[in-house]
Amino acid sequence: MKRSIERLVAQMTLEEKAGMCSGGDFWHLKGVERLGIPAVMVSDGPHGLRKQEQEGDHLGVNDSIRAVCFPTACATAASFDTGLLETLGRVLGAECRAQGVGVLLGPALNIKRSPLCGRNFEYFSEDPYLAGQLAAAQIKGIQSQGVGASPKHFAANNQEYHRLTCSAQIDPRTLREIYLAPFEAAVKAARPWTVMCSYNKINGEQVSESKALLTDILRGEWGFDGYVMSDWGAVNDRVKGLCAGLDLEMPASGGSTDRQIAAAVREGRLPEAVLDRAVGRILDVIFRYADGQGAAEFDLQAHHELAVRMARECAVLLKNEGGVLPLGQRTRVAFVGEFAQKPRFQGGGSSHINAFRAESAWEAARGRYEVQYARGFSAGGDEADEALMREAVELAAGCGAAVVFAGLPDSFECEGYDRSHMRLPGCQNELIRRVAAVQPNTVVVLHNGSPVELPWADEVPAILELYLAGQGAGRAAVELLFGEANPCGKLAETFPLRVQDNPSYLNFPGNGDTVEYREGVFVGYRYYDKKEAPVRFAFGHGLSYTSFAYSGLRADKTAVRDDEPVTVRLEVTNTGARAGKEIVQLYVADCTGAEVRPEKELKGFVKLELEPGETKTAEFVLDRRSFAWYDPQRGSWTCASGRYGLLAGASSRDIRQRVEIELTCTDPKPYVVDANSRYDDLLAQPALREFMLRLLEKEYPPAPPAESGAARAAITPEMQQRMDREAPLRSLRSFKGYTQEQLDGLIARLNAMLR
Ligand code: BGC
C-alpha cells in the first residue's frame, strides 16, 4: 500500500497536491477523479452521527440526517466501562459505513479543568487516565468498522471563551501529566487514523502551527501514523502549519490556502517533500476507508435500544437515604418538572444530533406505574411560574413519592461559550425545596452536562445524576427509579460545593488573551484531596441498590523494580440482596517525597458484575508509568525509589483497602554535587553519608550551652543543627574560612565518591 501511495503522489500535479491539503467543502476532502481518489466525507461525532446532506455548518444550525443520539461523553465516562465505549464506537462506525462517512470526528477528550467549560458535556473527565482509557476504547470500536476516528481537540482546549485565539499558559509537567496524557494513551493504544488539532494557542504558539506537538510528540514520541486535521477554522498560517505537521485544513478554504502552499513550494519556501508527506498521509487514510469493508446498513430501532441500555449503565446514584429508591410499586408517584416530558439529553453545537426519537420518563412510566405529572417549571428558562409551582407542590404532597426532573436549560451550556455560574435555574432550586418540604420521599433526577451546585442536597433523600444521557434517557431513568435496573455509574469528576472551590477558579477563563493554568497538576480531585477540602460528591462516587465488600488487597511483589509490571488483586463481594455492578478504583500514592505530587492518582479501574453473595477478583496491572511523574529537566517520565501506596477505593474518598510496595528506580536521576548542594541532601546520598557526618562534626561541632538563659531560649543546639543542615556547601567559604580552591576540591571529591 505504501508504495502505491507514493506512486500516486508522484502522479499528482503541484496544484492537486496542495489542493488535497484542504477540504473540498464543509465536510468532504477533495478527490482527484483522474487518479481514482475519492472525495471522502467526515462528520461529527462524538456520540452520534451528524451527517449534513445539504448546506454544512459546524455549529449544528442546519439539519442533519435523522440518527441515534447516544449518551454524551459526560455520561459515558461515568460508566467507567471500556467495553461499553467500544460498543458505542462500533455502532457509530457501522452508522458511518452505512452512510458513507469515512471519519467520525471524535471522541473529544479534553480535560475538565473547570466545571464552567461550556463543552464539558462532550468531554470525559477531570482525570487523564480515565479519559485516555475510555477514548481509546471508543476509537477501537469506531475503527473496527473500517472508519477512522479523530480524537479531538489536541490539545488543551479546556474552555470555550476566546477558544480560537486564547493561549493556555501551561508548565511542561502539567501539560504532559494532565492535558496530553489522555491523547498519549489513546494514540498509543488505539492508533487513530486521524487527530484533530485544537483552535487555541499553548504558551503563545498556535497549536495548528506547533511542530513540537503535531510532529515531535504526536508522531515522534507516540508513533501516530495518520493525518492531522485542523479543527474547523483553526488554521492561522497555512504554510507554517503544514511544516509543523498539520496535514489537512478543514473546512474548504476557497482555494486560497492551496494557492499559498503551491506558491511556497514554487518560491522554495516550502520543500516539496513536506507537501508530499502530508498528501501521502491523507491518501493513506482515504484508502484505508475506501478499500475497507463494513456494515452497509444499520437498524435505527436496535440502536435506540442500545442508547437506552447505555443511559442506564451511565447514571450515577449520588444519594439514597432511607431506601427511598427504588420506588418499586409504591402507590402514587408525582413526576414534577418539564424535563419529565422533555428530557434534556444532549448539548448544543457541533455534536447536536437530529435524534430520530426521544423517550421521556413520562412516556416510559405512564401506563406501567401509577404516575402523575405536573410541569412545575419551564425546561427552557430561569423564571419561576407561581401557578405551575403551586400545582406541582400540591401534587407532590398528595402522592407517596415525588420525582423532580431538574436540569440545565439548553442555553446554559453549549459549545462556543462557557457557563457564567454553576447554578441550576433559581425556579428549579425553589421548586425542589418546596416539594421536599411537603414530601419526605423526594427524589431529584438531574439532566446536566457538568456539575451544578446542589444547595438543597441535604433536604432531599435521593439524587440520581443522569447527565446528558442521549435519546434513551427517559426510559433509563424510569427503569432505575422503579428498580428494574440497578444504578452502576460513578462520577468521572468532582462535584464541588461551590464553583469558587474549584482549583482553576482564580484563573478561569483568563484575561481574554491568555489563561494561566496556575493550579498545575492539581486538577479536580488531585486538588481537593491535597487540600482535604470538603466537596459535595467526590470523584469516583456512585451508589447502588446493593452493597459491596472489598477484601484481600495484595500486590504480587512487595519489592519491585520499575521495569517490571506489578499485578494487584483484591476480592469484591456483593453483600446485598440484588445483582449489581461495582466500579473498583485503584489509586497510587507516592510516599517517597521526591516531588510535589497529588495525594493519589487513579491508575486502574474495573467494573465487576456480581450476583448477590458472589465474589470476584479485581485485577490491575501497574507499570512504570503508574508511578511516574514528568520531569521537564530530564524531558522524560521519571520515578523515585521508595514507598508507594496502592489504594483500592469505591471512590476517591472511600478508600477501602491499602497496601504498600517498595519500588526501585532503575534509572535514577544522577545526583551531581555543586556549591549549592545542601547538607541535608548530601546526607541523604548513601555513598556520601559517612563522609558528610564526619565533615559536619568537624565544621559544625555542637555549640556549648549558651551562658545566659535568654541566649539558651533563643536557640537550642537542636535548632542550631537543623539550621546548619539547611545550608549549602558554599557556606563553608562564607563561615568556615574555606578558600575557593578548598571548596572546589571538596566538591570534586564528593562527585568522585558518587561515581
Ligand atoms: C468543533 C469540532 C467539530 C467541528 C466540525 C468545531 O467547531 O470544535 O469539535 O468537530 O466544528 O463540526
Side-chain angles (χ1 to χ4, degrees):
M1 182 53 104
K2 273 268 165 307
R3 181 177 289 278
S4 69
I5 296 283
E6 268 166 36
R7 235 185 298 137
L8 210 49
V9 176
Q11 287 170 271
M12 295 170 82
T13 65
L14 176 60
E15 281 66 29
E16 282 169 341
K17 289 191 288 190
M20 269 330 282
C21 295
S22 70
D25 61 22
F26 219 86
W27 299 117
H28 291 86
L29 280 68
K30 294 195 191 83
V32 181
E33 220 180 320
R34 71 176 184 94
L35 296 173
I37 301 170
V40 166
M41 183 172 199
V42 302
S43 278
D44 284 306
H47 45 261
L49 180 56
R50 188 174 74 98
K51 182 186 174 193
Q52 286 183 323
E53 287 183 313
Q54 307 302 322
E55 205 184 329
D57 72 274
H58 63 134
L59 291 178
V61 180
N62 295 319
D63 261 0
S64 50
I65 58 159
R66 275 150 56 88
V68 185
C69 180
F70 293 97
T72 61
C74 61
T76 54
S79 75
F80 278 69
D81 186 339
T82 50
L84 192 84
L85 266 296
E86 199 166 334
T87 305
L88 171 63
R90 223 173 14 249
V91 300
L92 290 174
E95 291 190 12
C96 285
R97 265 275 159 204
Q99 292 290 343
V101 170
V103 174
L104 186 76
L105 305 175
L109 46 155
N110 297 96
I111 289 293
K112 302 185 193 210
R113 175 174 177 249
S114 163
L116 298 182
C117 170
R119 233 179 152 175
N120 274 1
F121 68 90
E122 273 188 76
Y123 300 151
F124 289 113
S125 179
E126 67 188 25
D127 181 83
Y129 177 80
L130 180 59
Q133 299 300 309
L134 297 175
Q138 188 175 347
I139 295 165
K140 281 183 196 162
I142 294 169
Q143 298 193 164
S144 72
Q145 302 304 300
V147 168
S150 194
K152 63 188 187 183
H153 313 84
F154 181 64
N157 183 176
N158 309 100
Q159 65 186 47
E160 293 299 277
Y161 182 65
H162 291 191
R163 66 173 165 160
L164 277 93
T165 49
C166 191
S167 176
Q169 305 297 109
I170 317 179
D171 68 84
R173 178 178 161 203
T174 301
L175 183 63
R176 291 283 188 153
E177 283 183 34
I178 305 292
Y179 297 98
L180 297 188
F183 289 96
E184 178 182 0
V187 166
K188 286 180 173 169
R191 303 178 62 89
W193 293 6
T194 81
V195 163
M196 186 191 293
C197 84
S198 60
Y199 283 130
N200 50 290
K201 297 178 191 151
I202 297 181
N203 297 330
E205 184 181 44
Q206 204 79 46
V207 171
S208 62
E209 291 161 17
S210 169
K211 178 174 169 293
L213 283 173
L214 304 185
T215 297
D216 301 346
I217 295 178
L218 183 62
R219 294 182 188 279
E221 291 184 30
W222 303 345
F224 174 68
D225 66 354
Y227 68 73
V228 178
M229 75 173 94
S230 72
D231 197 347
W232 268 231
V235 167
N236 175 50
D237 180 325
R238 184 63 190 103
V239 174
K240 209 168 160 192
L242 194 70
C243 290
L246 175 66
D247 305 303
L248 175 67
E249 170 182 9
M250 285 303 285
S253 70
S256 69
T257 52
D258 304 351
R259 286 190 290 277
Q260 288 170 12
I261 291 174
V265 172
R266 262 190 230 104
E267 290 158 21
R269 286 179 287 118
L270 173 69
E272 192 156 2
V274 171
L275 174 61
D276 289 356
R277 203 175 50 197
V279 174
R281 290 169 182 156
I282 295 168
L283 293 182
D284 177 45
V285 170
I286 287 177
F287 285 105
R288 286 188 211 176
Y289 170 72
D291 296 342
Q293 301 275 316
E297 52 185 34
F298 66 95
D299 180 348
L300 272 180
Q301 195 51 47
H303 285 190
H304 174 72
E305 290 304 315
L306 182 64
V308 175
R309 173 166 84 79
M310 282 186 180
R312 235 166 31 213
E313 301 282 316
C314 299
V316 186
L317 183 58
L318 293 174
K319 183 175 178 186
N320 189 19
E321 275 174 14
V324 168
L325 289 177
L327 296 168
Q329 297 291 344
R330 202 187 296 267
T331 40
R332 240 161 28 104
V333 181
F335 273 16
V336 169
E338 197 177 12
F339 290 115
Q341 265 200 338
K342 282 195 212 156
R344 178 156 177 265
F345 60 88
Q346 63 174 328
S350 63
S351 68
H352 202 271
I353 304 301
N354 184 0
F356 85 95
R357 66 177 288 201
E359 254 188 298
S360 74
W362 174 239
E363 179 190 340
R366 212 175 21 169
R368 298 185 56 217
Y369 298 102
E370 211 190 323
V371 286
Q372 277 179 288
Y373 169 70
R375 189 162 160 231
F377 58 84
S378 141
D382 212 349
E383 294 301 304
D385 179 321
E386 189 51 39
L388 286 182
M389 203 163 316
R390 229 178 299 125
E391 179 202 10
V393 173
E394 239 167 67
L395 176 70
C399 288
V403 183
V404 185
F405 290 82
L408 291 174
D410 280 324
S411 64
F412 274 43
E413 54 183 349
C414 178
E415 176 180 346
Y417 57 92
D418 297 316
R419 288 196 289 169
S420 55
H421 60 76
M422 210 179 92
R423 295 186 297 275
L424 284 170
C427 59
Q428 296 188 33
N429 282 334
E430 195 187 331
L431 178 69
I432 293 167
R433 285 204 142 117
R434 280 165 65 172
V435 168
V438 298
Q439 174 49 264
N441 298 320
T442 294
V443 180
V444 178
V445 173
L446 291 169
H447 307 69
N448 46 308
S450 194
V452 285
E453 287 168 22
L454 306 172
W456 35 258
D458 295 332
E459 296 159 39
V460 300
I463 307 171
L464 179 68
E465 174 61 79
L466 275 192
Y467 279 113
L468 302 184
Q471 65 182 53
R475 172 133 64 91
V478 168
E479 289 171 352
L480 292 164
L481 289 168
F482 289 90
E484 294 170 56
N486 190 352
C488 61
K490 294 199 179 191
L491 291 179
E493 62 194 329
T494 309
F495 268 52
L497 287 163
R498 321 170 301 162
V499 71
Q500 292 88 332
D501 297 342
N502 179 262
S504 74
Y505 183 71
L506 296 178
N507 294 288
F508 183 95
N511 66 14
D513 294 329
T514 59
V515 47
E516 304 275 348
Y517 285 36
R518 293 212 177 129
E519 67 284 0
V521 300
F522 295 98
V523 173
Y525 70 89
R526 286 166 167 75
Y527 170 83
Y528 299 113
D529 283 3
K530 195 85 178 177
K531 298 267 295 197
E532 294 181 17
V535 297
R536 179 67 74 191
F537 294 111
F539 175 86
H541 167 76
L543 305 171
S544 163
Y545 295 152
T546 186
S547 51
F548 302 98
Y550 290 36
S551 63
L553 178 67
R554 63 217 176 262
D556 64 344
K557 332 175 180 61
T558 49
V560 61
R561 285 161 47 109
D562 67 357
D563 56 357
E564 52 190 17
V566 198
T567 304
V568 183
R569 296 187 179 89
L570 74 148
E571 274 67 50
V572 181
T573 305
N574 182 344
T575 51
R578 57 178 296 168
K581 290 185 186 169
E582 172 69 338
I583 295 161
V584 189
Q585 299 149 50
L586 186 73
Y587 296 87
V588 171
D590 180 346
C591 314
T592 67
E595 187 47 273
V596 178
R597 299 194 67 185
E599 287 300 295
K600 59 178 179 295
E601 296 182 280
L602 184 75
K603 297 297 171 185
F605 58 89
V606 290
K607 193 166 190 175
L608 298 175
E609 184 165 13
L610 294 161
E611 293 298 320
E614 192 184 7
T615 298
K616 279 186 184 162
T617 300
E619 184 177 303
F620 311 88
V621 179
L622 301 177
D623 60 13
R624 182 175 195 275
R625 184 63 179 268
S626 314
F627 303 97
W629 74 91
Y630 187 82
D631 180 350
Q633 271 158 9
R634 293 180 93 182
S636 63
W637 293 87
T638 191
C639 47
S641 293
R643 284 184 310 111
Y644 289 80
L646 308 179
L647 287 55
S651 88
S652 60
R653 294 256 166 127
D654 183 7
I655 300 301
R656 303 279 182 88
Q657 300 234 290
R658 181 189 171 111
V659 291
E660 279 189 1
I661 59 165
E662 187 79 25
L663 185 82
T664 302
C665 172
T666 51
D667 176 27
K669 195 172 176 172
Y671 187 79
V672 180
V673 181
D674 62 25
N676 278 305
S677 302
R678 286 176 306 261
Y679 297 129
D680 259 349
D681 295 335
L682 294 162
L683 283 166
Q685 295 296 319
L688 307 182
R689 191 171 166 79
E690 280 306 307
F691 180 89
M692 286 307 299
L693 281 172
R694 280 201 307 278
L695 180 90
L696 285 168
E697 216 173 276
K698 175 163 161 259
E699 302 295 350
Y700 296 84
E707 276 172 19
S708 82
R712 267 204 298 277
I715 189 147
T716 65
E718 193 212 342
M719 288 151 83
Q720 181 69 51
Q721 192 188 52
R722 288 187 63 179
M723 213 153 48
D724 289 343
R725 291 189 176 186
E726 261 296 315
L729 275 180
R730 64 180 157 72
S731 59
L732 290 168
R733 194 184 53 204
S734 308
F735 304 116
K736 302 293 171 185
Y738 275 48
T739 63
Q740 186 62 45
E741 290 68 34
Q742 283 172 313
L743 183 62
D744 291 344
L746 175 65
I747 291 168
R749 184 159 175 206
L750 291 169
N751 277 321
M753 288 164 74
L754 283 169
R755 260 176 257 127

